[in-house]
Amino acid sequence: MERKKTRAISVGGVKIGGDNPITVQSMLKTDPQNLQETLNQLRDVKRAGCELIRIALPQEETCKIIPFLKREVDIPIIGDVHFNHRIALKAIEAGIDCVRINPGTINNIKKLKEVASLARQRQIPVRIGINIGSLEKRILKKYPKPDANAMVESALSCVKLFEDEGHEAIKVSLKASDTLQTIEAYRKFSALSDCPLHVGITEAGPVFSGAIKSSVGIGILLHEGIGDTIRVSLTGNPVYEVTAAYHILRTLGLRKRGINIISCPTCGRCKVNLREVVEDFEKEITHIDTHINVAIMGCEVNGPGEARDADLGIAFGPQSAVLFSKGAVKRKGIPREMAKDVLVEEIHNFSH
Ligand code: SF4
C-alpha cells in the first residue's frame, strides 16, 4: 500500500496529508442553537477518539457556538457552510479552525474569492466539498447527468480559484452516495492534484448498511493510497461514525487505536450467550485508545488457540471460562456472568 503524496495542511494543530496519520472526523447532529446538547455530543465523540469535528452553521447567528465549544473542548472545529458565504466569513472571524464550503451551493465566483481571501489572511484552511447532488450551475450545463468527471472538474476549478487567491491550505472531498462513482471521482482527482483528500461516502445510510458501504468505498481508496482524513457518514449517533472509522483504519493496518475484538460467530457448540458478553464488553471499551487484541470465544474448538494468540482472551467451556493474558492461562473457572467484568478489569491492568 503506497500512500499518494499530498501537501500537508494543519487544521487547528492536527496535521492532514503528507506523511501524517490518516485522521478520523465526524459531524455533530444536534441543533447548533442548543449549546448544551451540542457540547454533550461533542464530548461523546471526542471521548470515542474523534480528532476533528464538523458542525453545521445554517445561519450567521449559529457562529456564536464556535467560541463556546472551543473554550469547552480541545478539538479542531470545521464549520459547514452552504448558500450564504457570509456565514463562512463570520465563522472565520469567530475563531473556527477550518471552513467547509461547497462551490455548488455558494455558486458565485466573487463570493468564493471573498472566502478565499479572508481564509488566506487568517491562515484558516478550507475544505472544498464537492457533492454530486449540488454541483455548480455552470458544471450542470456541461454535464446534464452529473458523474465523476463533473465532480472532478468542479473541484479542480475551485482549487484553482483558491490558489489564485494565494490560499493553498485546502483539502478536497468529492462525494456521491453511489460508492463506485465516489471511488472513480477520488481516483481521477488524486491523479491530477496534490491536495489532501477528505474521503467518505455521502448519505451512506443507517448504521449497519452505511458502515458496510463506507468500509468498502473508503477501504478501497485507502488501500490504493488515496485519502488523508476520513468520515463515515451514518444516519445515527456520530459515536458510531468514529468507531466505524477506526475499524476501517485498523483493518487496513493504518491506525492502531482501541480494542480489536476477535470473537467467534458461535454455533451449536456454544453453551453461553456469547453475543451478550461481546455486546456488553464493547459498550464499556469504546473510549479506551490503547491498542489491544482481545479474543472472546464460544467453545474449546478454536477458543483456547485464539485466546492464547491475542493479548487477552477468554475462552468459554461448557461450565465456565478460562482467561488468557499474553499467551498464558491467568485464571480458570470464571462463571459466565462474571466474564465481561473480568475482561474489563484485565484491560485496565493491561493498559496501565
Ligand atoms: S469457537 Fe466453538 S462456538 Fe465458536 S464458532 Fe467455533 S466451534 Fe462454534
Side-chain angles (χ1 to χ4, degrees), residues 81-293:
V81 176
H82 293 276
F83 307 113
N84 180 357
H85 79 297
R86 280 194 301 277
I87 302 172
L89 303 177
K90 190 148 189 168
I92 294 172
E93 303 281 4
I96 202 90
D97 297 294
C98 175
V99 279
R100 180 272 168 119
I101 51 112
N102 175 344
T105 57
I106 305 274
N107 208 28
N108 181 304
I109 287 179
K110 195 167 155 278
K111 291 174 180 172
L112 287 170
K113 280 186 178 174
E114 269 183 63
V115 176
S117 171
L118 186 65
R120 176 183 50 76
Q121 284 168 38
R122 302 292 171 90
Q123 299 189 323
I124 297 301
V126 172
R127 163 150 79 100
I128 296 171
I130 306 297
N131 196 306
I132 200 162
S134 53
L135 289 167
E136 297 154 89
K137 289 203 179 80
R138 63 181 184 86
I139 298 281
L140 288 173
K141 269 192 199 144
K142 188 169 164 188
Y143 299 90
K145 276 194 178 165
D147 58 9
N149 291 327
M151 287 196 278
V152 171
E153 187 169 326
S154 174
L156 287 172
S157 75
C158 194
V159 167
K160 184 169 181 323
L161 181 148
F162 272 75
E163 288 177 345
D164 287 349
E165 288 297 309
H167 196 39
E168 298 208 333
I170 307 164
K171 57 193 173 103
V172 171
S173 62
L174 308 105
K175 294 192 183 180
S177 57
D178 182 288
T179 307
L180 297 178
Q181 205 165 36
T182 305
I183 291 169
E184 189 190 348
Y186 276 104
R187 277 182 184 148
K188 287 185 166 169
F189 182 87
S190 169
L192 298 168
S193 169
D194 73 339
C195 282
L197 288 172
H198 162 121
V199 168
I201 308 296
T202 195
E203 292 121 25
V207 171
F208 184 73
S209 54
I212 293 171
K213 216 191 270 185
S214 295
S215 305
V216 172
I218 296 172
I220 287 174
L221 286 165
L222 291 177
H223 196 256
E224 293 177 15
I226 298 170
D228 301 286
T229 179
I230 64 170
R231 188 226 171 165
V232 176
S233 304
L234 299 173
T235 312
N237 189 324
V239 167
Y240 290 127
E241 299 190 356
V242 176
T243 310
Y246 280 108
H247 278 300
I248 295 171
L249 293 173
R250 226 172 19 221
T251 305
L252 291 167
L254 292 167
R255 293 285 298 269
K256 285 197 174 302
R257 182 194 185 276
I259 310 285
N260 178 35
I261 301 176
I262 299 148
S263 60
C264 79
T266 79
C267 67
R269 289 191 181 86
C270 189
K271 298 284 178 253
V272 293
N273 186 342
L274 198 76
R275 197 189 81 190
E276 207 173 82
V277 176
V278 171
E279 284 175 0
D280 288 352
F281 176 69
E282 199 173 25
K283 275 187 209 136
E284 294 212 18
I285 48 101
T286 47
H287 63 285
I288 295 176
D289 45 16
T290 318
H291 180 63
I292 307 170
N293 289 314

Side-chain angles (χ1 to χ4, degrees), residues 326-346:
K326 295 179 184 164
V329 173
K330 183 151 185 197
R331 196 164 152 188
K332 287 183 178 175
I334 302 164
R336 177 255 166 270
E337 54 284 0
M338 281 180 64
K340 186 263 297 175
D341 291 337
V342 166
L343 262 185
V344 171
E345 193 188 315
E346 212 42 45

